[in-house]
Amino acid sequence: MIDTRRMEEATRLTRAGKLHEAMAILQGTMSGGAGGTGGEEAWHASDSGRNTFEGTCRVIDEEVSVSKPASAESGSQRTGASSAWGPPPSAFGHTRQAASGTMPGGEIGLPSAWRDKWHQWRDSMAQPEQARGSSETALAGAFTTGCFTNRAGSREYKLYLPSGYHGQALPLVVMLHGCTQNPDDFAAGTTMNRLAEEQGVCVLYPAQPVTANSNKCWNWFKAEDQQRDGGEPAILAGMTRQVIDTYGLDASRVYVAGLSAGGAMATTLAMTYPDLYAAVGVHSGLPHGVARSLPDALGAMQGGAGPMANASSARVSASLSRVPAIVFHGDRDTTVHPSNADRVAAQYAASRAAGEVENGRKGSAGKTVERGQVPHGYAYTQTRHQDADGRSCLEQWVIHGAGHAWSGGDARGSYTDPKGPDAAKEMLRFFNAHAKASP
C-alpha cells in the first residue's frame, strides 16, 4: 500500500531539488512492506541503466544571438546522433540547472525498481490525460522538459517558449525528430528554436525512447501507429492539445513537421488529425500507409516495395488530408529513396483534386515551377500548387545533390546539410500562410 502522505512529501522535496531527502522518504515508503528489500540496493542496481532523459532535468536558455557554428567543410553532413541527451552547451547558449519544479511529478532520477509504483500513485492523483509541467514552471526564452501521458502511452518532450511569450495565443510547431536523434539534437540541427525566437513561435519536440523503438524511430510503419485515437498518433495529438491548453496557444495555428521517420509520422498526423494541424512539413519522409511492417518499411525506403510502390492514383487517394503540405527531399538520398517525396506529394495533390471536384471547380487550380541556387550550395527545384482560390496548398522542394539530411541545417546537429535551402525557414513561411478557420 502506497503511503500518500509520504509520496506527497517526496514530491515536494523533489520539486525543491532535494533529491537525497526525497529518495530517503521513497526508500522507506517502498521498502517498508517488502521485508527490507529494494531501497538502496534497488537504487544502485538501477542507477547505471536508467534513461538519461529521466535521470537529468535541465533548462537550456537559447540566446537570440546564437553564435555561428564551428567552421566545417561546405556541405558537410554528420550522421549518427549524440550519445546522450543534450549537445554541447554552445548549441543553445548557456546551460543551467533547472529551477525548482521544472519537472513536476517527482520522477527525476527515480530508480526503475520504484517507478511503476510511483506511476500508480501519480496516476491515481491525476486526470486521464496530463502533462508534467505547467505555465508556472516553463519559462519564456527557455527550453524545458516535460512528459505527457494518456491511455495510449507516455512520451517525454521538450518545449521552447520564446522570450516574448507572456501568455498570449502564439502559434505552435510540433517537431518530430528522425531515427537515432533526440529533441536537443534535432533543435540544434534545424535551428528551429532560433527562428521561433525571432518570429514568436512555440516549438514542441516529442521524444521517442528506445523502449518504443530501438533506434528511436517513430513507428510510422506499424498499422497500430497509423490510426486516429490509437498508438503514437493518439499520444502525439494528445500531447499537442495538452500544450495548447496549458499555455493558451492559438489552436488555429498548430503545425507539425518532421525528418525521415519523423517526416513519415508528420504525414500520418496530418492524415489522422486534419482537424488539429493547420499545415505539415515533411523532410525526407514517406507517405502515410506505405508500410504495415518493418520489411514493408525497408522496401518502401528503398523505393521499390510496399503497398504503395507503383500505386495507382486511386490507391493513393485512399489516404486524403486537406492539410496544406510542404515537402523537402534530396535527390541523392540513399536512405529514403527520393521517389517517396513524389508519393508524399501525390497524397496531398489527390486531396486537393478531391476538394476541387467537391466544389465543382476541377481544373481551376494552378501550378508553378521555379529553379534556384543556394550561393556556394545546391541547386533546387520548387514546385508550388495553388488551390481553386489561388492559395498555396502544396510545395515540393527537390534539392539537387543533397543526401539524407535536413536542408540548410546547422552542423551542430546530426543529419544536416547547410548547403541546401533553409528548410526550417521555408516551413515557417509556409506555415504562417495557413491557419484553420474558426469553428
Side-chain angles (χ1 to χ4, degrees), residues 326-417:
I326 180 169
V327 181
F328 281 81
H329 215 116
D331 65 4
R332 298 290 179 86
D333 191 334
T334 58
T335 302
V336 177
H337 194 277
S339 63
N340 284 290
D342 294 330
R343 294 174 184 170
V344 170
Q347 283 190 329
Y348 293 101
S351 301
R352 175 178 56 84
E356 292 171 12
V357 171
E358 286 181 8
N359 296 326
R361 305 172 72 177
K362 186 175 181 179
S364 59
K367 181 176 78 171
T368 59
V369 178
E370 297 180 10
R371 292 176 175 81
Q373 173 84 43
V374 175
H376 311 294
Y378 297 125
Y380 60 87
T381 300
Q382 177 192 15
T383 303
R384 296 186 182 185
H385 299 261
Q386 293 84 32
D387 63 17
D389 295 317
R391 295 171 300 191
S392 175
C393 57
L394 171 64
E395 285 189 21
Q396 183 176 2
W397 292 65
V398 178
I399 301 103
H400 304 296
H404 193 67
W406 186 273
S407 180
D410 192 309
R412 288 174 294 185
S414 64
Y415 296 104
T416 62
D417 192 337

Side-chain angles (χ1 to χ4, degrees), residues 30-256:
M30 297 299 184
S31 62
T37 60
E40 193 67 21
E41 292 180 3
W43 168 258
H44 288 299
S46 64
D47 184 53
S48 60
R50 70 181 186 273
N51 187 296
T52 305
F53 192 101
E54 295 175 341
T56 60
C57 185
R58 299 179 300 159
V59 175
I60 302 176
D61 294 332
E62 180 175 6
E63 299 175 348
V64 179
S65 56
V66 178
S67 58
K68 294 183 179 180
S71 60
E73 293 184 10
S74 179
S76 63
Q77 176 180 333
R78 181 161 62 86
T79 59
S82 305
S83 59
W85 280 79
S90 61
F92 295 106
H94 300 292
T95 301
R96 62 182 174 84
Q97 228 23 62
S100 63
T102 299
M103 189 173 178
E107 195 176 346
I108 306 173
L110 189 63
S112 59
W114 301 341
R115 195 169 293 126
D116 289 343
K117 290 186 178 180
W118 174 265
H119 285 176
Q120 221 175 38
W121 173 81
R122 181 200 65 191
D123 293 344
S124 71
M125 304 292 287
Q127 297 297 322
E129 291 193 353
Q130 59 189 2
R132 294 200 301 276
S134 69
S135 57
E136 294 178 354
T137 57
L139 306 175
F143 204 19
T144 57
T145 301
C147 181
F148 172 81
T149 300
N150 66 5
R151 286 186 293 272
S154 179
R155 291 294 185 274
E156 307 281 358
Y157 65 80
K158 299 200 80 169
L159 176 66
Y160 183 76
L161 299 175
S163 58
Y165 170 73
H166 303 293
Q168 69 272 43
L170 296 180
L172 175 67
V173 178
V174 181
M175 293 286 286
L176 301 176
H177 63 73
C179 298
T180 76
Q181 294 183 312
N182 59 52
D184 290 294
D185 179 26
F186 197 39
T190 61
T191 71
M192 189 61 82
N193 288 1
R194 176 180 58 79
L195 292 170
E197 178 68 25
E198 294 173 356
Q199 299 187 30
V201 176
C202 301
V203 193
L204 174 64
Y205 298 85
Q208 180 74 317
V210 293
T211 53
N213 183 289
S214 59
N215 289 317
K216 297 192 288 188
C217 309
W218 297 101
N219 292 308
W220 57 273
F221 52 87
K222 293 184 177 180
E224 60 268 31
D225 293 306
Q226 297 174 357
Q227 57 188 329
R228 185 183 177 99
D229 298 329
E232 291 177 358
I235 298 171
L236 294 169
M239 180 189 294
T240 302
R241 288 180 174 131
Q242 181 67 60
V243 169
I244 294 169
D245 292 344
T246 300
Y247 298 97
L249 305 183
D250 188 346
S252 70
R253 295 186 293 165
V254 180
Y255 313 98
V256 60

